[in-house]
Amino acid sequence: MAAATVSQPPITTSAVPAVPAVPVVPGRNDSSDSSRSSQTITEKVKLSSPLRSSSPKNRSSHDGNYQVDRSVSTKRWKTFLKAFKHIHDLTPKEVDDFMASYEIYNLDWANEEEMVKAFGPNYQQRVGDCLRAYYSVLNHLCSLGDVEKMYIPPLMDKKASVLDNQLLYEESVAKDIGLRPGMKVLDLGCGRGRVAAHMTSFCGAQVTGLNIDESQIAQAREWNDRCGFSNEFVVHDQNDLPLPFADNSFDAFYEIQALSLCKDPSASFKEIYRVLKPGAKFSLLDWVSLPAYDPADPVHAGLMRRVKPLIGAVGTPTPTGFEKALMDSGFSVTRSDNPSIGGLQAPLIDKVDIYFRSMRRLIHGLVRLRALPPHFKLLFDRLCLDGQAFVEMDNMRLITTTYRIIAEKPLV
C-alpha cells in the first residue's frame, strides 16, 4: 500500500426516567457479530499458533477479499441502546463539564506560558480534569456510531467498513509487534477495552490497559470478563509519570491515537522503554502534522484551529519529532509511514462524518418535538462541528491521525 509523503522516506526493515423510543438512524450492519460463550472464547486463545489461520466461524468478510476476527466485537444495536440511554440521563453538570472541557484544545503543550496563564501553575491537573469530563461523555457519543473504540482507523481496505478497517489494522499491529499466546502487552489509552479483547482473541496475548477515565476502565473490565479473558485495566493519567509498572514488565507495547494528549513524548517513551523487556517491540498510530502544513499559512492555521478540538489534540507532534524522541529514549525505529491506502484516511473520516451529521438532523427534529431533552442537540452540534475540515486537511496531506511508527528495544 502506498504511504503518504512525509519528511523523509519511510523507514523499513525486513522485519432511570422512561427513555423515549430510540430513533432509527442511518447506518450499516458492519459488525456481523457472532455470539459465543466465554468457554469457547477461552478455548480459542489457548491455540498454539501465534497468528492462527482461523476457521470461517471465527473469521468473516463481506466480499471474500479480506478476513477479520469479529468473535469478540460488541453487538451494534446493544451498544447503541446503552449509549443512548446514558446520554439521555446525563445531568446538567455533566453536560456543562463536557462542553467546558473543549477549552484545553485552544492551547498547546508546547506553549507552557499560555497554559499557565489560562489554568495557573498546576495546569496539568486542570487539563487532566478536562480530559476526564471530555471522555466520560465522548465515549458514549462515539458508541452511537462506528467509532465505539474512539478512533477512525487507517484505510486498510477500500471495500471494508469502518469497523472492519479497525479490525484489519489491529490485527496488523499484532503481527508488527510479534504477539503470541501468553505474551504481556501494554495498551496505552485503552478506552473501553475493545481493542484489548480483540488482541487477546486474535493471538492469545494478555493485555494490560491504561486509561484516565474510570467509566471506560469499568466498561473494559466488564467486557473482557464477559469474554473470559484475564486482561487487566488500570486507571491512570499517562502524563502522571512514572507509569505504575515495574522495570521489564511487558513483552510488547501499542497505542492507538492516545499521544495527542501526551504532554512530553520524550519522557513518556523513556518510561515505556523502562517497562518493556529487551527485544520488545513498540507500535504507535497517532496524529501528526505533516511537512506540507505551514502554520504561517492562514488557511492551514484556520483549519488546524477547527480540527484539533474535533480530534482531541492538545499537542502538535510531527513524524520526525516522534522518531527522535524514540531514538533518544533508546529505541531503534524500524518503520515510519502511513499505512492508509494512498496515504489518505479521508474516505473513512467522511463516512463517519456523514453518519453523525445524518443523526444530528434526526436529533434536531426530535428535540423540536420534545421527544428528547435539549442537551442532545447541544452535544451533537459540538460532536459534528468541523468534520469536513478534518476531511479537507487529510486530503491536503497537512495532517493525519494514522501515522505509524514501529520501534524495538534492543536486546542489549
Side-chain angles (χ1 to χ4, degrees), residues 196 209 262:
C262 180

Side-chain angles (χ1 to χ4, degrees), residues 151-326:
Y151 82 97
I152 300 176
L155 182 62
M156 308 295 287
D157 190 299
K158 291 182 179 180
K159 295 182 179 179
S161 66
V162 174
L163 292 170
D164 280 355
N165 270 287
Q166 287 178 333
L167 297 175
L168 285 166
Y169 173 70
E170 290 158 19
E171 293 179 8
S172 78
V173 171
K175 297 172 185 177
D176 286 339
I177 59 178
L179 293 185
R180 299 186 300 278
M183 290 180 70
K184 293 184 177 180
V185 57
L186 176 60
D187 175 350
L188 183 71
C190 63
R192 293 176 166 212
R194 274 43 172 178
V195 176
H198 182 209
M199 289 294 186
T200 301
S201 172
F202 181 66
C203 61
Q206 182 177 343
V207 182
T208 297
L210 185 146
N211 197 276
I212 193 174
D213 180 17
E214 291 185 13
S215 67
Q216 290 183 75
I217 289 293
Q219 293 173 80
R221 289 168 178 162
E222 178 187 9
W223 181 248
N224 280 260
D225 287 347
R226 285 178 59 188
C227 292
F229 300 150
S230 58
N231 294 332
E232 299 178 353
F233 298 94
V234 179
V235 179
H236 189 84
D237 182 347
Q238 65 169 298
N239 292 313
D240 184 9
L241 302 178
L243 296 174
F245 309 111
D247 295 358
N248 305 318
S249 294
F250 298 100
D251 301 294
F253 167 90
Y254 66 85
E255 69 84 23
I256 300 175
Q257 296 178 11
L259 296 180
S260 59
L261 310 173
C262 180
K263 180 179 184 293
D264 186 348
S266 294
S268 293
F269 293 161
K270 288 174 183 175
E271 267 300 283
I272 294 165
Y273 185 93
R274 177 184 67 80
V275 303
L276 289 180
K277 297 176 183 178
K281 293 185 177 180
F282 169 112
S283 173
L284 172 157
L285 185 86
D286 227 296
W287 121 268
V288 295
S289 64
L290 296 171
Y293 174 71
D294 179 4
D297 185 315
V299 174
H300 292 190
L303 287 168
M304 184 70 85
R305 284 193 297 270
R306 295 167 62 190
V307 170
K308 284 184 71 174
L310 179 70
I311 63 176
V314 182
T316 312
T318 63
T320 53
F322 275 149
E323 291 163 14
K324 184 178 186 303
L326 283 165

Side-chain angles (χ1 to χ4, degrees), residues 362-377:
L362 182 57
I363 292 293
H364 280 197
L366 291 171
V367 170
R368 282 196 300 270
L369 293 172
R370 299 186 179 181
L372 290 176
H375 69 254
F376 266 87
K377 179 179 182 299

